[in-house]
Amino acid sequence: MKTAILTLSTLALLCTTAFAETKLTVPAKETSQIFKAAGFAKTKHGWEGSCGTGEITTYKDLNSDGLKDAVISDYSTMCYGNTGVGYHIVSQQKNGTWKLIFENMGIPTFLKTKGKDGWPDIENGGPGFCFAVYRWDGQKYDVNRYEYNGKACSLN
């Protein structure tokens, strides 16, 4: 039990560090739109989703289309098991609205390889040594391959 708590605490610290960018400045109006697009609601504790309070951990143009994108992270072992973290990717549309394009449990690492429309492949990290890499096909992110440290691997 102590080992599990220590492991989860370490993972949460690493996740926060991995997600953290230098001081994010997100305009209040956009913050509200981003969280609402991902299904979060404002409460006295912050923006809450179905798995806990979320925070915007990335706010930048991920696919080089000139529009901002955001990653919301939330933490819960009840929802996300041993990984303890989930994420929601929200993209600003040309008309200024925000749209949820992907959500998953795990720790997203944006890779240099790209799918359609310039969206980066996402290595979905967490416990283990072989991770799914998701690729955007123009409509949704789907598993494209499995990797560990940039090398192909198999779940078998």
Side-chain angles (χ1 to χ4, degrees):
M1 180 67 169
K2 288 180 183 178
T3 303
I5 292 171
L6 179 60
T7 302
L8 288 174
S9 298
T10 302
L11 184 57
L13 176 62
L14 291 174
C15 293
T16 303
T17 304
F19 287 153
E21 293 183 359
T22 56
K23 184 75 172 139
L24 289 177
T25 304
V26 183
K29 181 180 176 186
E30 287 190 11
T31 296
S32 177
Q33 292 173 344
I34 289 165
F35 278 110
K36 286 178 181 178
F40 284 70
K42 182 75 169 160
T43 71
K44 66 181 181 179
H45 302 292
W47 287 95
E48 298 216 6
S50 58
C51 291
T53 304
E55 65 178 313
I56 298 174
T57 53
T58 301
Y59 177 71
K60 63 183 179 182
D61 184 359
L62 293 171
N63 63 335
S64 302
D65 66 353
L67 300 169
K68 293 285 189 181
D69 305 295
V71 177
I72 298 170
S73 301
D74 60 342
Y75 310 92
S76 167
T77 54
M78 293 295 287
C79 284
Y80 304 123
N82 286 342
T83 303
V85 65
Y87 61 96
H88 316 263
I89 301 174
V90 183
S91 178
Q92 189 177 39
Q93 305 301 291
K94 290 179 182 173
N95 66 4
T97 62
W98 288 81
K99 178 182 177 183
L100 177 67
I101 63 164
F102 187 60
E103 57 188 344
N104 205 352
M105 71 170 74
I107 304 162
T109 299
F110 297 98
L111 304 176
K112 291 181 181 181
T113 53
K114 299 191 181 302
K116 189 167 179 166
D117 303 323
W119 281 101
D121 289 352
I122 302 169
E123 181 183 87
N124 197 64
F129 298 101
C130 189
F131 305 115
V133 174
Y134 290 82
R135 176 167 285 171
W136 183 253
D137 68 7
Q139 300 293 316
K140 63 187 178 324
Y141 270 101
D142 270 328
V143 174
N144 176 262
R145 62 190 182 278
Y146 292 87
E147 288 185 359
Y148 182 68
N149 286 336
K151 295 184 175 142
C153 61
S154 172
L155 294 179
N156 298 335

